[in-house]
Amino acid sequence: MIQPVVAIHGGAGTMSRASISPEQEREYLDALNQILAAAQAVLARGGSALDAVTEAVTRLEDCPLFNAGHGAVYTSAGTHELDASIMDGATLRSGAIANVNCVRNPVLAARCVMENSKHVFFVGQGAEAFAREQGLEIVDPSYFSTPARYEQLLRVQREQPGAAVLDHDGQAMVAGMQPAAAPIDPDRKFGTVGAVALDAQGNLAAATSTGGVTNKQVGRVGDAPLIGAGCYASNATCAVSTTGTGEMFIRMVASYDVAAQMEYRGATLEEAAHSVVHDKLPRIGGKGGLIAVDGQGNVSLTFNTEGMYRGHARVGEAPVAAIYR
């Protein structure tokens, strides 16, 4: 009998443990546990893996602690550009959107693309128009802004002019930077959220959403909305959602590579995830991690950074969340 399971991530990166209070750490763990519990409840009542990952990522987008939806980081122009993708392992149907700035929950728009259009990927104004046609909630771009993210932009522009904060590996930034008020330093964090799930029918699904990287060039798109790079699901192998240096995950087709290693060389889920995250990505400077689940309910939460916001919940068991190694 299949035991349904859901796993989530809220980004990976460099730890700032020295500047964190137990209360701040608990805030992140509580958020992860609450989101896991909500997605777990979907599976417990017989809901689909698609519904579970949609529930999880929608809630991650609504939580300002994470870089997706409300709380998304700023571009170099002081704007927001949000991306998301979703994939159904049973049918290989998928949907994605990129560079939107008024759709409250990008993952819902990605799901509408998958279910209600003949296409896979919409961007920019076309994606926003499609979301409006689908009756999704449209918000003023200021909805995504938070004071903490704006200060983060100003700090990066002041200390590292011209840099898109993406691939720092733990060296301290310029002296005088204010300590990060998060367990993972927001200035050295790969900010993506995602979820993967296995339901009682044996179907898999994955979804990924992001606000991009702080101070990125306008129009840049990372791996999060790209099927096969930041998101992939097939009942034949596994469901995967990634977080990290997007350009490197794109070049490695990282999420599909996990599935391909399982299918073509008979690797287990953990062997395939380890190969991608610890062997292949580092060869080109790829940092970050991924979450994955296979059809037997095996879960992998694998990362090559100092930490990753992550957790999983099996139906009938208490959710488990973690930040550090």
Side-chain angles (χ1 to χ4, degrees):
M1 182 175 175
I2 294 172
Q3 185 181 21
V5 61
V6 60
I8 65 173
H9 71 77
T14 298
M15 310 315 298
S16 54
R17 206 181 303 203
S19 62
I20 294 309
S21 70
E23 292 75 22
Q24 289 166 328
E25 183 178 330
R26 175 50 53 189
E27 184 179 12
Y28 278 82
L29 291 172
D30 285 348
L32 291 169
N33 277 308
Q34 289 168 12
I35 292 164
L36 282 167
Q40 179 188 46
V42 172
L43 295 173
R45 58 177 178 261
S48 69
L50 266 176
D51 286 343
V53 298
T54 302
E55 178 73 17
V57 174
T58 298
R59 287 174 176 264
L60 284 160
E61 289 174 342
D62 287 344
C63 180
L65 296 176
F66 304 107
N67 174 25
H70 181 54
V73 298
Y74 286 83
T75 69
S76 58
T79 57
H80 299 287
E81 293 181 341
L82 289 77
D83 313 325
S85 59
I86 193 167
M87 188 163 183
D88 177 10
T91 63
L92 303 186
R93 292 184 306 159
S94 53
I97 62 161
N99 286 356
V100 301
N101 68 8
C102 64
V103 181
R104 173 173 172 155
N105 291 109
V107 72
L108 298 182
R111 183 160 177 177
C112 284
V113 172
M114 179 183 73
E115 294 181 332
N116 301 329
S117 83
K118 60 183 179 181
H119 305 298
V120 170
F121 202 167
F122 284 98
V123 302
Q125 293 181 349
E128 292 169 356
F130 179 79
R132 285 188 173 92
E133 292 168 5
Q134 295 298 308
L136 296 180
E137 184 173 355
I138 303 300
V139 295
D140 186 88
S142 63
Y143 164 78
F144 303 109
S145 304
T146 62
R149 293 300 190 199
Y150 187 61
E151 171 55 32
Q152 187 180 341
L153 173 68
L154 296 180
R155 189 165 61 239
V156 168
Q157 291 181 336
R158 181 171 64 244
E159 307 293 358
Q160 300 185 86
V165 173
L166 217 175
D167 56 2
H168 294 71
D169 60 3
Q171 298 101 333
M173 282 185 67
V174 181
M177 188 191 84
Q178 293 299 308
I184 298 180
D185 186 341
D187 292 339
R188 296 197 291 273
K189 172 177 174 286
F190 315 120
T192 309
V193 306
V196 295
L198 168 71
D199 63 29
Q201 289 70 49
N203 295 319
L204 297 168
T208 308
S209 181
T210 187
V213 293
T214 298
N215 204 38
K216 71 163 187 148
Q217 187 170 339
V218 173
R220 176 264 187 188
V221 176
D223 64 314
L226 299 183
I227 301 302
C231 178
Y232 188 76
S234 169
N235 280 10
T237 50
C238 61
V240 184
S241 175
T242 70
T243 177
T245 45
E247 283 72 9
M248 310 311 174
F249 280 66
I250 292 170
R251 294 172 194 172
M252 280 292 182
V253 200
S255 61
Y256 176 69
D257 195 14
V258 177
Q261 291 196 43
M262 294 177 68
E263 183 171 3
Y264 300 140
R265 75 176 183 90
T268 66
L269 180 72
E270 190 59 40
E271 288 170 346
H274 187 279
S275 171
V276 170
V277 173
H278 293 287
D279 298 335
K280 301 182 76 171
L281 280 164
R283 294 176 195 163
I284 58 170
K287 293 183 172 68
L290 60 82
I291 57 172
V293 61
D294 66 17
Q296 289 71 52
N298 298 304
V299 172
S300 178
L301 310 170
T302 306
F303 54 100
N304 60 28
T305 49
E306 294 176 39
M308 181 169 76
Y309 297 116
R310 65 198 186 276
H312 72 281
R314 300 183 186 279
V315 169
E317 300 179 10
V320 178
I323 301 171
Y324 310 117
R325 281 196 181 281

mmCIF file of all heavy atoms in Angstrom, residues 32 37 47 57 81 157 166 188 217 243 249 254:
data_model
loop_
_atom_site.group_PDB
_atom_site.id
_atom_site.type_symbol
_atom_site.label_atom_id
_atom_site.label_comp_id
_atom_site.label_asym_id
_atom_site.label_seq_id
_atom_site.Cartn_x
_atom_site.Cartn_y
_atom_site.Cartn_z
ATOM 1 N N LEU A 32 7.609 26.206 7.726
ATOM 2 C CA LEU A 32 7.790 24.974 6.953
ATOM 3 C C LEU A 32 6.837 23.881 7.437
ATOM 4 O O LEU A 32 6.191 23.198 6.620
ATOM 5 C CB LEU A 32 9.238 24.488 7.064
ATOM 6 C CG LEU A 32 10.305 25.342 6.378
ATOM 7 C CD1 LEU A 32 11.698 24.888 6.799
ATOM 8 C CD2 LEU A 32 10.168 25.295 4.860
ATOM 9 N N ALA A 37 2.048 20.532 6.732
ATOM 10 C CA ALA A 37 0.807 19.985 7.278
ATOM 11 C C ALA A 37 -0.371 20.228 6.341
ATOM 12 O O ALA A 37 -1.239 19.356 6.182
ATOM 13 C CB ALA A 37 0.539 20.585 8.654
ATOM 14 N N GLY A 47 -6.472 13.480 -1.944
ATOM 15 C CA GLY A 47 -6.169 14.439 -2.995
ATOM 16 C C GLY A 47 -4.988 14.010 -3.840
ATOM 17 O O GLY A 47 -4.190 13.145 -3.453
ATOM 18 N N VAL A 57 3.082 25.078 -2.673
ATOM 19 C CA VAL A 57 3.783 26.198 -3.302
ATOM 20 C C VAL A 57 2.968 27.481 -3.206
ATOM 21 O O VAL A 57 3.530 28.566 -3.033
ATOM 22 C CB VAL A 57 4.165 25.854 -4.753
ATOM 23 C CG1 VAL A 57 4.775 27.072 -5.458
ATOM 24 C CG2 VAL A 57 5.166 24.699 -4.764
ATOM 25 N N GLU A 81 10.054 40.262 -10.819
ATOM 26 C CA GLU A 81 9.759 39.369 -11.936
ATOM 27 C C GLU A 81 9.669 37.951 -11.384
ATOM 28 O O GLU A 81 10.658 37.423 -10.881
ATOM 29 C CB GLU A 81 10.852 39.456 -13.012
ATOM 30 C CG GLU A 81 10.888 40.811 -13.709
ATOM 31 C CD GLU A 81 11.942 40.897 -14.800
ATOM 32 O OE1 GLU A 81 12.887 40.070 -14.806
ATOM 33 O OE2 GLU A 81 11.824 41.787 -15.648
ATOM 34 N N GLN A 157 23.366 46.624 -3.851
ATOM 35 C CA GLN A 157 23.782 47.650 -4.801
ATOM 36 C C GLN A 157 24.880 48.528 -4.214
ATOM 37 O O GLN A 157 25.746 49.029 -4.945
ATOM 38 C CB GLN A 157 22.577 48.492 -5.232
ATOM 39 C CG GLN A 157 21.597 47.714 -6.100
ATOM 40 C CD GLN A 157 20.421 48.551 -6.542
ATOM 41 O OE1 GLN A 157 20.058 49.541 -5.895
ATOM 42 N NE2 GLN A 157 19.810 48.182 -7.662
ATOM 43 N N LEU A 166 23.973 35.699 -6.331
ATOM 44 C CA LEU A 166 23.544 34.367 -6.718
ATOM 45 C C LEU A 166 24.484 33.296 -6.216
ATOM 46 O O LEU A 166 24.059 32.328 -5.599
ATOM 47 C CB LEU A 166 23.474 34.304 -8.257
ATOM 48 C CG LEU A 166 22.355 33.498 -8.905
ATOM 49 C CD1 LEU A 166 22.388 33.667 -10.390
ATOM 50 C CD2 LEU A 166 22.432 32.059 -8.525
ATOM 51 N N ARG A 188 23.149 35.645 0.454
ATOM 52 C CA ARG A 188 23.911 34.542 -0.122
ATOM 53 C C ARG A 188 23.010 33.305 -0.196
ATOM 54 O O ARG A 188 23.402 32.209 0.129
ATOM 55 C CB ARG A 188 25.171 34.267 0.713
ATOM 56 C CG ARG A 188 26.143 35.431 0.707
ATOM 57 C CD ARG A 188 27.522 35.006 1.167
ATOM 58 N NE ARG A 188 27.554 34.671 2.585
ATOM 59 C CZ ARG A 188 27.749 35.575 3.554
ATOM 60 N NH1 ARG A 188 27.879 36.855 3.267
ATOM 61 N NH2 ARG A 188 27.793 35.195 4.811
ATOM 62 N N GLN A 217 19.586 41.304 -13.691
ATOM 63 C CA GLN A 217 19.249 42.108 -14.851
ATOM 64 C C GLN A 217 17.802 41.839 -15.251
ATOM 65 O O GLN A 217 17.348 40.690 -15.238
ATOM 66 C CB GLN A 217 20.180 41.771 -16.021
ATOM 67 C CG GLN A 217 20.010 42.683 -17.230
ATOM 68 C CD GLN A 217 21.106 42.480 -18.258
ATOM 69 O OE1 GLN A 217 22.179 41.962 -17.935
ATOM 70 N NE2 GLN A 217 20.847 42.890 -19.479
ATOM 71 N N THR A 243 16.677 24.166 -6.376
ATOM 72 C CA THR A 243 16.966 25.532 -5.938
ATOM 73 C C THR A 243 18.472 25.728 -5.987
ATOM 74 O O THR A 243 19.222 24.888 -5.496
ATOM 75 C CB THR A 243 16.445 25.812 -4.524
ATOM 76 O OG1 THR A 243 16.829 27.144 -4.137
ATOM 77 C CG2 THR A 243 16.958 24.833 -3.501
ATOM 78 N N PHE A 249 22.058 25.037 -13.166
ATOM 79 C CA PHE A 249 21.033 23.989 -13.187
ATOM 80 C C PHE A 249 20.426 23.867 -14.584
ATOM 81 O O PHE A 249 20.049 22.774 -15.008
ATOM 82 C CB PHE A 249 19.948 24.287 -12.148
ATOM 83 C CG PHE A 249 20.330 23.900 -10.742
ATOM 84 C CD1 PHE A 249 21.359 24.550 -10.077
ATOM 85 C CD2 PHE A 249 19.662 22.883 -10.076
ATOM 86 C CE1 PHE A 249 21.720 24.198 -8.785
ATOM 87 C CE2 PHE A 249 20.011 22.524 -8.780
ATOM 88 C CZ PHE A 249 21.054 23.176 -8.128
ATOM 89 N N ALA A 254 19.223 19.823 -14.686
ATOM 90 C CA ALA A 254 19.434 19.120 -13.428
ATOM 91 C C ALA A 254 18.284 18.230 -12.998
ATOM 92 O O ALA A 254 18.496 17.074 -12.594
ATOM 93 C CB ALA A 254 19.756 20.129 -12.327
#
